[in-house]
Amino acid sequence: MKRFFLLAFFMLSFSYSHAQLFSGEKILNNENFDRQQWSWGYFLGLNSYDFKFKYEEYDPSPTTGKDRIVETNMGFNVGLVGNLRLTNNLDLRLEPGVSFNTRGFQVTRADPDTYREINSTYVHIPLLIKFSTDRHNNFKPFVVGGVSTSINLSSNENNPDDNSAGQFRMTTNSYYYELGFGIDLYLYYFKFSPSLRGVFAINDELIRDNSSNSIYTGNIEKMSTRGVFLNFTFQ
């Protein structure tokens, strides 16, 4: 899935950049766009969520094992963009949005009854710094980084049932840092910006089962989300 995101991003960026560099085109689209102090837009995109596990050094129940199986799937994102120009090459961005995704969690392949489907709906709010190169013709590469928080509307955090009743539980609130890169493409009517970003949770998101010997959560010290976003922004 991550390879697909990378391939799609590079093919799109390369095709446009190649045309701009070698076609001899010199007409600048939206020449004054970046002189605005404030600009607005929206984004649509794809995502892939995974988990990173940290296990306890001592596992009192060796039969639980340490290799959890996570099945990743493609989800989608939608949201708004608010951009504040700080300098010619630096912007502050707020990108509130909603992300939808489904992951599969399984303790061991030998026992299909341990499979849990985790449906997640996140209200995701990143605050980002965007550093851009100087504009060349109608494109401008950039890198982006920052912090974010999310509310998982499907967390099951307050559900009294646990995995013994088929309910996988996670925290409602999570915190992340984000790093990515992209390219601004200045089209005739608007600016189009494909970007690829990694999202890394800082806090432990796992709600333990009621039994300390649970094969699902018993030997996990920390479980954190890792995600990849491929977003297409229109401004």
Side-chain angles (χ1 to χ4, degrees):
M1 190 67 66
K2 294 177 182 177
R3 292 179 180 176
F4 169 79
F5 285 159
L6 284 168
L7 181 61
F9 177 82
F10 281 120
M11 287 182 65
L12 179 62
S13 300
F14 177 78
S15 61
Y16 190 88
S17 300
H18 182 273
Q20 288 285 301
L21 285 171
F22 300 107
S23 67
E25 180 180 353
K26 299 298 181 182
I27 298 175
L28 295 181
N29 296 324
N30 281 302
E31 185 173 359
N32 297 319
F33 187 95
D34 291 335
R35 296 179 184 176
Q36 306 173 83
Q37 184 176 10
W38 292 94
S39 58
W40 314 94
Y42 66 93
F43 65 85
L44 304 170
L46 303 173
N47 66 61
S48 176
Y49 280 98
D50 200 347
F51 287 124
K52 179 180 180 181
F53 295 98
K54 181 179 179 182
Y55 297 97
E56 295 177 355
E57 293 184 6
Y58 172 68
D59 179 10
S61 177
T63 57
T64 61
K66 289 190 175 183
D67 294 324
R68 298 306 196 271
I69 301 164
V70 181
E71 176 187 83
T72 61
N73 296 289
M74 186 180 296
F76 67 95
N77 317 313
V78 60
L80 303 174
V81 174
N83 189 93
L84 171 62
R85 177 180 177 268
L86 302 176
T87 69
N88 289 335
N89 303 100
L90 202 63
D91 298 272
L92 180 66
R93 295 170 71 86
L94 185 66
E95 300 186 359
V98 182
S99 300
F100 304 90
N101 189 273
T102 299
R103 282 167 282 189
F105 175 94
Q106 191 167 339
V107 177
T108 171
R109 295 189 188 279
D111 186 359
D113 290 337
T114 64
Y115 180 85
R116 297 289 182 268
E117 185 176 83
I118 306 169
N119 296 301
S120 299
T121 300
Y122 291 102
V123 178
H124 189 73
I125 308 173
L127 182 64
L128 306 169
I129 292 290
K130 176 184 175 183
F131 177 76
S132 307
T133 67
D134 291 334
R135 175 173 173 172
H136 181 81
N137 288 349
N138 286 318
F139 74 94
K140 184 169 66 174
F142 64 84
V143 294
V144 65
V147 295
S148 59
T149 184
S150 71
I151 301 171
N152 186 351
L153 302 179
S154 310
S155 67
N156 277 324
E157 180 174 3
N158 297 318
N159 192 332
D161 294 330
D162 61 10
N163 279 292
S164 63
Q167 297 296 320
F168 189 91
R169 300 180 297 179
M170 297 173 60
T171 58
T172 300
N173 298 299
S174 296
Y175 307 93
Y176 313 83
Y177 66 91
E178 306 191 13
L179 297 170
F181 61 94
I183 185 169
D184 289 331
L185 308 176
Y186 296 83
L187 306 182
Y188 188 78
Y189 290 107
F190 58 88
K191 183 169 74 171
F192 173 61
S193 305
S195 64
L196 190 67
R197 192 185 312 163
V199 180
F200 309 92
I202 301 169
N203 60 299
D204 181 14
E205 298 175 86
L206 182 65
I207 300 296
R208 271 68 185 175
D209 290 342
N210 300 324
S211 171
S212 60
N213 294 321
S214 167
I215 63 171
Y216 297 92
T217 65
N219 68 329
I220 298 177
E221 182 178 333
K222 183 178 181 180
M223 182 190 78
S224 302
T225 289
R226 297 291 184 265
V228 178
F229 287 4
L230 175 62
N231 282 341
F232 303 97
T233 302
F234 303 83
Q235 287 179 266

